Structures are given as structure tokens and as C-alpha cells.
Amino acid sequence: MPPNTTATTGDKPGKSGRKKGRKARLVVLVLVLAIIGGIAYGAYWSISTVRASFPQTKGSLTLDGLSGPVDVKRDGYGIPQVYASSDEDLFMAQGYVQAQDRFYEMDVRRHMTSGRLSEMFGKGQVKNDEFLRTLGWDRVAKEEYDTKLSASSKKYLQAYSKGVNAYLQGKNGKDISLEYAALGFTNDYRPAKWTPVDSIAWLKAMAWDLRGNMQDEIDRALMTSRLGPKQIADLYPDYPYSRNKAIVQEGQYNSFTKTFEQNGSTSTGGTSTSGSTGTSSTSASSALQSQLSGLYKVLDNVPTAVGVNGQGIGSNSWVVSGSHTITGHPLLANDPHLSASLPSVWYQMGLHCRTVSSKCQYDVTGYTFAGMPGVVIGHNQNIAWGMTNSGVDVTDLYLEKISGDGYLYNGTVKPFKTREETIKVAGGASKKIIVRETSDGMPLLSDRDDELVKVGKKASVDTAAPDRGDGYGIALRWTALDPGTSMDAVFAMDKASNWSDFRSAASLFDVPSQNLVYADKTNIGYTLPGKIPTRAKKDDGSIPMPGWDSAYKWTGYIPKDALPYEFNPKRGYIVTANQAVIDKDKYPYTLTTDWGYGTRSQRISDLIESKIKGGGKVSTDDMRQMQLDNSSEIAKLLVPKLLKIDIGDKNVREAQELLEGWDYTQDADSAAAAYFNAVWRNILKLAFGNKLPKELRVKGQCLWVDPVNTTGPADETNKVRECGERDTDQAQPDGGDRWFEVVRNLMNDPKSDWWSTPKSLTRPGASDNRDDLFKRAMIDARWELTAKLGKDIDSWSWGRLHRLFLKNQTLGTEGPGFLRYMLNRGPWKLSGGEATVNASGWNAAGGYGVVWVPSMRMVVNLGDLDKSKWINLTGASGHAFSAHYTDQTGKWAKGELLDWDFSQKAVDDNTRDTLVLKP
């Protein structure tokens, strides 16, 4: 959702013809509000606007288009359970109910996915719209709807849209949500009708945020301006297969081999590891560095849909077989890690057919996306499933040689395919752009920034690259730009009744590729779906490639029946936490060169093993406790070394003593966790951060460095001042488990150049070995925390540093201060940390604030579904003053879970409000 909104607010929304004098009225209102104060202002809004948008949850309503009555039962947290007698009625009611609670959020999302944010928020969103129009998510979504989806999926999408539009009928903006009332002071925007394409496009936004290693491709290329191939390889070490186990470990290797032998297939992707820097020509490296620096700036401004795309972010999901549980039936846990948003990206809901039959096929409950029919993660009456991002590489960037109105390909100039897009701007003139694509549908991303065009014309290249001519551009190849069947997969998973059904449903899930864990009453399983490309042997997908050479193009896709899976492994559990899917030596295809490094997954496996060894049985609450594990794996490695360092300063020694006897647990009230994480942050800054190019460092961090391309020994008098260019949540080193592995690999080389810091970057003195750098980091951390938390270490705590603020993702980020005050919530002091099972992530380059979180938590009990548990990050409602806006957040922060009712009796026992929708 848009981070750069410029909308303002005022008194009552003006009608379409009342533009004259609006600015004057707004100024007067702001001055009055400043005098009256927040309490009176809050009362004003609650009377005039806020309550008008609250949903009706009791009594009855008539909806044209229903074939029979539908019951909507809400519990004490406002979570709806919908009961209908036909599929179409069920999904129509889902659309109506989600619009009641979340339509503003839905509307913003569809404007984002279609590149129409400027229609709501004005000229500040034009650049974002230009980029999103270039990607063309809504165009691909329309093609999916027209040509790919099944007739039943189209019918359900139509029914859902009908429900949303039934809610909108006859309503003004202020009747829908407080935010529309605020927009009304500067914009005559009125919501349009919902369409099936609006729902499908949301899957494209989800796929974008979970797209794999595109950021790593950019970062590796940018690093070449200051680092050599060996140094870059140091920062992207091989995955530690021997220490952190892959997901698929047993039982399927013969099946893979047999499949490939039958298909006559061989490896088309090689077995490159994450330390690879690619085998492509580096002749265009200078062009790439300049182009990618500009491209990153464009990407950084694009609103996120469900999460930050970067190292460290991920999800946990695991399943334990009945042989190891108290109930004798499987338990399944899931907690996807995404950007913190308000409202949460998830919407809890139950969709129940009163009688499951061919006419009404669904009895499913779980987490949905507001704006899309069906349940994305959850369980039905027979099975349960969870998801984590697989991280497989489904994107590649190509450096294209521009020649006139075309591009060079295998020695021939080919014309671009072009289309004109018109961007409408609230309060301003429309803007037209031309989108260029290669013949195979790759959009030219570099067209969206004037600086990139200039750089492409001037970029220097080596002799192996084509002549500069009209410059270079950056194009994107991405599986989600091809129409697919992921919407079909959602409906099919929701009604699957066994492993075979589930695997068939999962095979329809083209993008984003997700690790899917499965359980029924007696079985557990894992499968990897997705449209995953194969590449020529000279291209492992790790860095951008030369587009003028067909040898670097995709060669096809991994056959769906050759994708890894596992069913009822002997060990009795399956863990997915963004680690490697399968050992590279056991699988002939390259899935990616950039896995997560398995810190969380191995910790979860160790926790399960410690429970079941000796005959222990796992309970639902054990699964919850595992989700809350705060153990720091990097602390276990570093603290013994830190305690051996001789510290002379008594104040620093006092801080060092916090680590003595510390159990490495990052609880919110832990002073030791606060100090250790400060030390870790300073180690990363001194050893790595100060040596990275400015394009990767955090904004505002300025250093005196040697000029690029200088020769000879370093000269202190010849240095230049360079300032970082990245936002705090995307800068490097971010401190994720890739950096754990980097430091682990360097620990036995105390004289490595990475441990060396010049005098100009320390205070005072320099370091040329590991222990000196660690000592410097401990000193710097002590005084950093003194400045942030006070000199008295007894007052320190990790939670004081590590805080979560929930912000409304539009007006709560860039709106007027009083509006942000009304819409935003927080802070909450959190436990957990980076690459921890309880993954309240923070970016070490930018600070300690929480960047991403377990966006929800669930534990499904297949022995008794009514004993399952769940929680959401915020609440069911998107209305800022609803009782259900953030009513789950406090419990979420404490690690508590709510009862998850499923059976008719359990739902009825806990129903607070019932609304009957009548035909």
C-alpha cells in the first residue's frame, strides 16, 4: 500500500461541485482542531463520521442475488463465520462481509495492483503508478480471468464481486470508512464497483512481494563497484546443508530420479550454490551498477502488498505426525512473517455450507485476504495446510542493448512491443506513458526513471559487450507476468479431502511458489508447487544477465511432477522455514542460489527432537511455545568470544557482565539481549557495513572512502565523502541469518581483512584483527545504549529498543499528524529478533525497531478441530475506532492464542452477533 500519501483532512466531506473555498475551510479547521485538542476532535469524528461506517452485525438485510438466506455469526472478536446453502451464496456473502469490515483496504489494494493510486492520492503516487502500469498486473489478471480460470472459479469470483457491490450500493465515502471522509476534503474520489479482476490481481501483488532473489541480484551487481568476486562470495556463503537440514530429507529421492529418467531429462540449471556470482559476462558491469542503482530507487518506492522482500524475512510452518503428539493425530503450526500493517494483511473467517454437497462444497475456515474469495491458509473438515515462502528464483533481470526503437538480440535488432497507458491524477492533469516490452513479454523497467535512461546512454562497458549505441536498459523476466491458475488452486485446496486432492490442487498454484505443509487425521506431507524456470548452464540466475545473447534466456520450466515433495517421513515431522528445499547434490534442477540459511528451521527441528526424544509427546501448547522461541543462534556463537575480551573501561565491563550466564533468550525485559544485539549491530557495521557501496548503506550514513577506480595505496588525503542511499528497512548488512553464516565462516580467521577497520572509521584507533574489532563494537554498543536507554544498565531492556508501531498504510504514514494519531497504534515492546523462531525482525543497518513480524499464528489440532488455536496481528476490522481494530494485538504481543471454533456447536456457543442476509 502507498507509503507516500499526501492526502489531508478537514471538516465534512465536500460534494462534487463544492471545490471553491475548500482549501480555506481546511486551513480554518486545522487551526480550530489545534486549539480544541485531540479529545474534542475525537468526539467530533466519532459522532459525525466514525459510527456511520461501522458494519451492521445484527438483525437482517436484503441482498439482491442471493438464492437463500445466509447467516453471518460473529464472535467476541468480530470474526465472522458464514453459513449458506450454495457456493455462490457463500462467496457472495464473503464479499459483502469483507467489504463491511475492510473495503477501504480492499480499494487501496486494487488501486495499487492496477497502477491507479494517483486516482485516490494525487500526484505523489504517479511514479509508483508508472512502475506498476509497466508491470501490468491487472492486464495479466484480466488475461487469467478470460483464458485460464475454470468456469467454477469465474462463477465464484462473480458472486464475490456481487457481494462487495451489494455493500457499496447507495453508500457515500463517509458511509464506508473514515479514510474516505478525510480524502473528501481534497479529492472527489468515489469508489467504483468491484470486479473479479480486482480479486485476481491481488495474487500478483502477493507474488511480487514474495518473488525470490531479485533483490540479491541487484545487491550483488551493486557490490562490484567496491568489492571483488572473492569478497562478494564471502558475503553470500554456501548453504550449510550439513548443519541446517533441507526440508525434504527422506523417501523421495528415488522418485525424483525415476521421474527424470522417464522424461529423459537432465539438469538444466546446474548446481550452483549461494556463493556463486554467476558465470555470465561481466563486460557490462559498469552499466549494470549505474542502472541498478537507479532501479533500486524506483523499486524502493513501490508499495508493499504483504511484506518486505529481503534477507531475513520469511515464515515458519511445521507439522508433527500423530505418533509424536498427545492426541495421536497430527498438529500443524504456521506463522508467516510479513511487514507489520494496520489492518493486518490477514482476515480471519469461516465459510460453511450448511450441508456439504455438489451444490455447496465448502466447509473451511482460516485466513483470507480481504478482496479475494476463499481461504488462503487454514483447514477444512478433513485437512489442514500452512504456507511459507519457498524463495525459489522466478525472476531475472536482463541488461538490454537499446538500438533506436528496438533492442539487440542475437545480432539482430528487434522492435519493442509498446502500449500507451493513461494515469489519472486526483486534483491534477492526467499523464500518458509508453510501456515497452521485449518480444517475450519482458517490460523495460528502466523506462520508468529519467536518470536510468541517461545512465543507459552514457554507461561505460568493456569490449566484450555490444557498442553503446543508444544505451542500455533493464528488463524483467518474471513468472507472474504470464497468466496462471493460482485462483483455481485456492478454491481447490479449500475443498480438498486428502493428500491426493491437495497435491492436485497445489499443482495449480503457479505463483507465488510456496512451501505447503499438509496434515489430515493420520498423515503429514509437504509439497513444492509453482512455475519455476530452468536456465541455460551459463546462467544460474544469481546476477543480471546480458539480454542480447539467447544463451542466457530461460529454457523452460521444471515439470510439475518433478518438483520435490515428502509424505509421512520416518522422522515424524516436517519443518519449513525458508531453508533449502532439498540438498543440491540430490536434485538435478537449480531452484535458487539464494535460500534462507536455515537458522530458524534447524532450531524448530531441534525443539521438536528435544521433545520427542525419550518418548515425549507434543501438545498444542508445545507448538505455541515453539512459535515463541526467542533463542539467538548468533549469540550462542559470539558471546563466548565476547566474554574473553579484556575490557578496561569499567562502564563497558559492566555491560559485558550482562552476558555472563545469559541464556541467549531475547525476551522483551532482557538487558543482556539489548546489549548483545547492540554489539552485533556494531560488529556488522564495522566489519561489513562501512565497506559496502553507498547504494546498499542506510540513508544518512556518510563515510570518507577511497574513490572508485583509484589505483595504488590508500591515501587518507584523497578520500571522498559518500552517503548511504537506502531506507532503514532495506539497507545492508541487515543482520539476517546470511550474516550469521558470513561471520561464522570468518570466526576461525581472526586476521581476515574483513576484521580490519581504518582509523578514520573508528573512535579512536583502528583494528586489524577480530578481537580488536569485537572490543571496539562492545565499546560502541555501550555508549549507543547509554544514549538511547540511559547510563543505568538496570533500566535497559530489549523491548525498549525493539518496538512495534502499527501504521495505517495510507493516511497513517503521510497524512496530517492528527489523522495519523487517530489511525495508528502502538508501540508494543516485543521479544524475539532477527532469524529467531519468534521472528520480530529488525534491520541491523537501520536500527532496532521492528520491521516484520509473525503476521498471524495458528496451531491446528487434527484430533479435535475445535481445540485449534489462532491469532491475528491486529483485528477483524479496518475501522479505526471499532472495538475490533487492534483487539487481538495485545494478546499477539504476549504470544497468546484464541480459541478457533469450527463445529456448528462451538461457533454457536461463542456467537455474539448474528446477521441474516436475505434474498
Side-chain angles (χ1 to χ4, degrees):
M1 297 184 212
N4 298 315
T5 303
T6 56
T8 56
T9 188
D11 56 357
K12 295 183 179 180
K15 296 182 179 179
S16 58
R18 296 182 182 175
K19 295 183 178 179
K20 188 175 181 180
R22 179 175 288 158
K23 289 185 178 179
R25 292 198 304 272
L26 179 59
V27 171
V28 171
L29 177 65
V30 171
L31 291 174
V32 170
L33 291 177
I35 296 170
I36 294 175
I39 296 177
Y41 181 63
Y44 169 84
W45 276 95
S46 68
I47 295 170
S48 68
T49 304
V50 175
R51 290 180 180 173
S53 62
F54 283 8
Q56 180 179 340
T57 59
K58 297 180 180 180
S60 64
L61 289 169
T62 299
L63 295 189
D64 291 339
L66 288 176
S67 64
V70 177
D71 296 330
V72 181
K73 302 180 179 183
R74 294 178 183 260
D75 66 10
Y77 289 89
I79 299 170
Q81 304 285 340
V82 180
Y83 290 85
S85 298
S86 73
D87 290 338
E88 291 93 328
D89 285 356
L90 193 64
F91 292 117
M92 182 177 177
Q94 183 181 16
Y96 185 88
V97 172
Q98 287 189 340
Q100 280 188 305
D101 283 332
R102 298 280 192 96
F103 182 76
Y104 176 76
E105 172 195 3
M106 293 163 57
D107 199 17
V108 171
R109 283 181 180 171
R110 69 165 164 176
H111 279 78
M112 179 188 71
T113 58
S114 60
R116 293 166 46 228
L117 289 168
S118 300
E119 294 178 16
M120 295 184 75
F121 304 109
K123 64 181 181 181
Q125 293 299 321
V126 169
K127 284 291 185 183
N128 286 335
D129 284 346
E130 289 180 6
F131 186 79
L132 294 164
R133 293 285 184 96
T134 299
L135 291 175
W137 291 343
D138 62 328
R139 297 174 66 253
V140 181
K142 186 177 188 307
E143 189 175 352
E144 282 189 13
Y145 182 78
D146 291 340
T147 66
K148 289 289 186 178
L149 295 185
S150 66
S152 61
S153 291
K154 290 181 180 180
K155 182 170 60 176
Y156 301 155
L157 285 160
Q158 291 164 1
Y160 181 90
S161 297
K162 189 186 299 182
V164 176
N165 293 328
Y167 169 75
L168 294 177
Q169 187 173 359
K171 289 183 173 64
N172 294 316
K174 67 181 180 63
D175 299 323
I176 298 172
S177 186
L178 167 65
E179 289 90 337
Y180 288 117
L183 284 176
F185 295 117
T186 57
N187 188 351
D188 293 323
Y189 171 80
R190 294 291 184 271
K193 287 187 176 181
W194 194 264
T195 73
V197 173
D198 293 333
S199 295
I200 299 168
W202 174 235
L203 283 171
K204 300 301 175 185
M206 177 183 173
W208 176 254
D209 284 347
L210 303 174
R211 62 192 178 271
N213 75 335
M214 182 172 158
Q215 189 62 62
D216 289 310
E217 287 187 43
I218 293 174
D219 287 359
R220 272 189 289 261
L222 291 173
M223 285 179 184
T224 60
S225 68
R226 289 208 170 273
L227 303 177
K230 172 60 169 64
Q231 292 171 308
I232 295 173
D234 285 345
L235 302 186
Y236 286 88
D238 291 348
Y239 184 89
Y241 288 98
S242 61
R243 188 176 70 254
N244 296 339
K245 301 299 183 185
I247 297 171
V248 176
Q249 300 175 36
E250 58 184 84
Q252 302 305 322
Y253 303 140
N254 291 337
S255 299
F256 295 141
T257 304
K258 188 178 295 184
T259 298
F260 298 129
E261 289 172 350
Q262 290 171 349
N263 291 343
S265 300
T266 58
S267 172
T268 59
T271 54
S272 299
T273 66
S274 53
S276 170
T277 56
T279 56
S280 67
S281 167
T282 59
S283 59
S285 60
S286 281
L288 273 170
Q289 290 161 18
S290 300
Q291 287 273 359
L292 291 172
S293 175
L295 175 59
Y296 176 79
K297 294 174 184 176
V298 177
L299 293 174
D300 193 40
N301 286 328
V302 175
T304 57
V306 295
V308 175
N309 182 270
Q311 276 288 341
I313 193 168
S315 303
N316 303 322
S317 189
W318 68 94
V319 60
V320 180
S321 71
S323 61
H324 296 312
T325 68
I326 289 175
T327 66
H329 298 281
L331 295 170
L332 185 150
N334 196 188
D335 55 288
H337 307 154
L338 303 171
S339 293
S341 60
L342 182 61
S344 167
V345 69
W346 300 110
Y347 182 88
Q348 296 151 290
M349 197 172 201
L351 301 173
H352 308 279
C353 289
R354 293 189 177 94
T355 301
V356 176
S357 65
S358 59
K359 180 182 178 182
C360 198
Q361 305 171 72
Y362 295 89
D363 189 15
V364 61
T365 180
Y367 294 87
T368 73
F369 290 138
M372 198 178 88
V375 169
V376 178
I377 296 174
H379 72 81
N380 60 28
Q381 68 273 38
N382 296 305
I383 72 166
W385 68 96
M387 294 186 186
T388 63
N389 192 26
S390 69
V392 298
D393 188 359
V394 295
T395 61
D396 277 334
L397 293 170
Y398 288 90
L399 185 68
E400 300 291 346
K401 163 65 179 59
I402 309 298
S403 182
D405 294 329
Y407 62 99
L408 189 69
Y409 186 73
N410 281 352
T412 302
V413 175
K414 302 184 71 171
F416 283 108
K417 296 189 295 183
T418 63
R419 68 178 189 271
E420 184 178 86
E421 297 275 353
T422 300
I423 298 171
K424 297 180 181 179
V425 182
S430 297
K431 181 176 181 180
K432 294 183 184 295
I433 64 169
I434 300 297
V435 176
R436 296 191 289 178
E437 294 181 349
T438 64
S439 60
D440 50 0
M442 295 195 300
L444 205 64
L445 303 185
S446 50
D447 278 355
R448 300 286 65 89
D449 188 276
D450 292 339
E451 283 300 311
L452 293 183
V453 176
K454 294 177 185 177
V455 168
K457 289 182 177 180
K458 297 180 179 179
S460 61
V461 294
D462 296 333
T463 55
D467 290 339
R468 179 186 303 112
D470 294 323
Y472 294 89
I474 294 288
L476 170 68
R477 184 78 170 97
W478 179 33
T479 54
L481 296 182
D482 301 324
T485 55
S486 294
M487 198 71 244
D488 283 343
V490 173
F491 293 123
M493 285 192 293
D494 284 355
K495 63 181 180 181
S497 61
N498 53 47
W499 172 243
S500 177
D501 287 350
F502 184 76
R503 284 263 291 162
S504 296
S507 70
L508 300 170
F509 211 99
D510 292 314
V511 291
S513 176
Q514 298 288 286
N515 295 312
L516 298 179
V517 295
Y518 165 94
D520 58 37
K521 290 187 180 298
T522 56
N523 303 294
I524 64 172
Y526 161 84
T527 190
L528 175 70
K531 191 175 183 181
I532 304 170
T534 55
R535 298 171 173 86
K537 288 186 178 180
K538 63 167 59 179
D539 174 10
D540 64 7
S542 63
I543 62 173
M545 297 296 157
W548 52 82
D549 187 345
S550 61
Y552 295 95
K553 297 297 183 179
W554 291 359
T555 58
Y557 300 94
I558 299 176
K560 290 185 177 181
D561 60 358
L563 290 170
Y565 72 96
E566 193 167 64
F567 187 63
N568 287 334
K570 292 180 181 178
R571 65 185 180 278
Y573 61 89
I574 302 169
V575 176
T576 78
N578 316 110
Q579 79 271 40
V581 168
I582 189 168
D583 194 309
K584 63 184 178 65
D585 296 328
K586 305 287 186 171
Y587 190 66
Y589 290 100
T590 295
L591 296 171
T592 186
T593 59
D594 291 295
W595 300 113
Y597 281 77
T599 302
R600 284 178 287 107
S601 62
Q602 194 56 46
R603 175 62 179 172
I604 295 166
S605 296
D606 291 345
L607 290 170
I608 295 171
E609 286 283 353
S610 67
K611 184 70 178 180
I612 64 179
K613 280 182 178 178
K617 297 291 185 179
V618 179
S619 69
T620 301
D621 196 60
D622 289 330
M623 300 284 273
R624 180 187 71 86
Q625 292 287 354
M626 292 177 193
Q627 289 178 324
L628 302 179
D629 183 75
N630 292 319
S631 177
S632 170
E633 297 304 301
I634 190 62
K636 294 176 184 177
L637 175 70
L638 291 182
V639 167
K641 299 289 186 183
L642 297 177
L643 289 175
K644 291 180 180 179
I645 294 174
D646 184 23
I647 299 291
D649 186 313
K650 66 177 184 178
N651 292 300
V652 180
R653 172 60 186 153
E654 182 184 34
Q656 184 186 36
E657 289 173 349
L658 291 172
L659 305 179
E660 295 177 359
W662 179 44
D663 63 359
Y664 314 120
T665 298
Q666 300 170 99
D667 293 333
D669 61 358
S670 171
Y675 181 60
F676 172 77
N677 283 319
V679 173
W680 170 236
R681 178 173 185 250
N682 280 277
I683 287 173
L684 291 172
K685 179 180 178 181
L686 292 170
F688 310 104
N690 291 339
K691 297 163 189 173
L692 296 177
K694 64 181 184 299
E695 293 87 356
L696 275 69
R697 297 200 313 270
V698 70
K699 285 180 181 177
Q701 182 193 88
C702 299
L703 301 171
W704 289 94
V705 298
D706 294 322
V708 177
N709 298 327
T710 56
T711 58
D715 182 355
E716 293 291 327
T717 65
N718 192 38
K719 292 186 180 295
V720 296
R721 190 170 185 263
E722 286 187 351
C723 298
E725 298 179 352
R726 284 210 176 164
D727 285 343
T728 55
D729 61 356
Q730 290 285 285
Q732 293 293 336
D734 60 21
D737 65 354
R738 172 164 68 88
W739 294 99
F740 290 14
E741 198 66 19
V742 169
V743 170
R744 184 186 297 275
N745 290 344
L746 293 171
M747 286 296 287
N748 293 326
D749 185 8
K751 290 290 187 179
S752 168
D753 288 343
W754 288 111
W755 302 127
S756 175
T757 59
K759 183 177 181 180
S760 59
L761 296 181
T762 61
R763 50 152 225 261
S767 70
D768 60 4
N769 63 75
R770 183 196 65 201
D771 289 351
D772 281 352
L773 185 141
F774 283 5
K775 182 176 182 178
R776 183 75 258 165
M778 293 172 74
I779 294 169
D780 289 353
R782 178 21 160 151
W783 299 117
E784 180 187 0
L785 293 197
T786 297
K788 292 180 184 297
L789 303 179
K791 187 174 182 180
D792 182 5
I793 65 172
D794 290 336
S795 69
W796 291 1
S797 70
W798 177 225
R800 287 182 62 197
L801 288 173
H802 193 54
R803 298 187 298 168
L804 170 66
F805 291 85
L806 290 175
K807 295 182 179 181
N808 176 289
Q809 292 300 292
T810 56
L811 304 181
T813 59
E814 294 293 336
F818 55 80
L819 192 57
R820 281 181 281 170
Y821 176 80
M822 289 197 303
L823 296 176
N824 299 339
R825 300 291 183 271
W828 286 268
K829 298 176 181 179
L830 296 189
S831 301
E834 190 63 40
T836 301
V837 180
N838 184 17
S840 54
W842 55 288
N843 186 298
Y848 304 97
V850 177
V851 176
W852 50 75
V853 294
S855 56
M856 62 81 159
R857 298 186 183 100
M858 74 176 198
V859 179
V860 183
N861 184 329
L862 276 298
D864 185 345
L865 293 171
D866 285 333
K867 292 183 179 178
S868 301
K869 303 285 184 178
W870 64 351
I871 197 79
N872 203 354
L873 172 62
T874 60
S877 181
H879 299 288
F881 289 95
S882 165
H884 306 306
Y885 191 48
T886 55
D887 58 340
Q888 297 184 51
T889 309
K891 290 182 177 295
W892 171 92
K894 296 176 183 176
E896 299 177 14
L897 299 176
L898 305 177
D899 292 336
W900 186 354
D901 302 322
F902 179 68
S903 70
Q904 176 82 58
K905 182 180 184 305
V907 170
D908 287 346
D909 287 347
N910 290 291
T911 294
R912 295 285 184 89
D913 297 337
T914 299
L915 175 67
V916 179
L917 303 177
K918 297 181 178 180

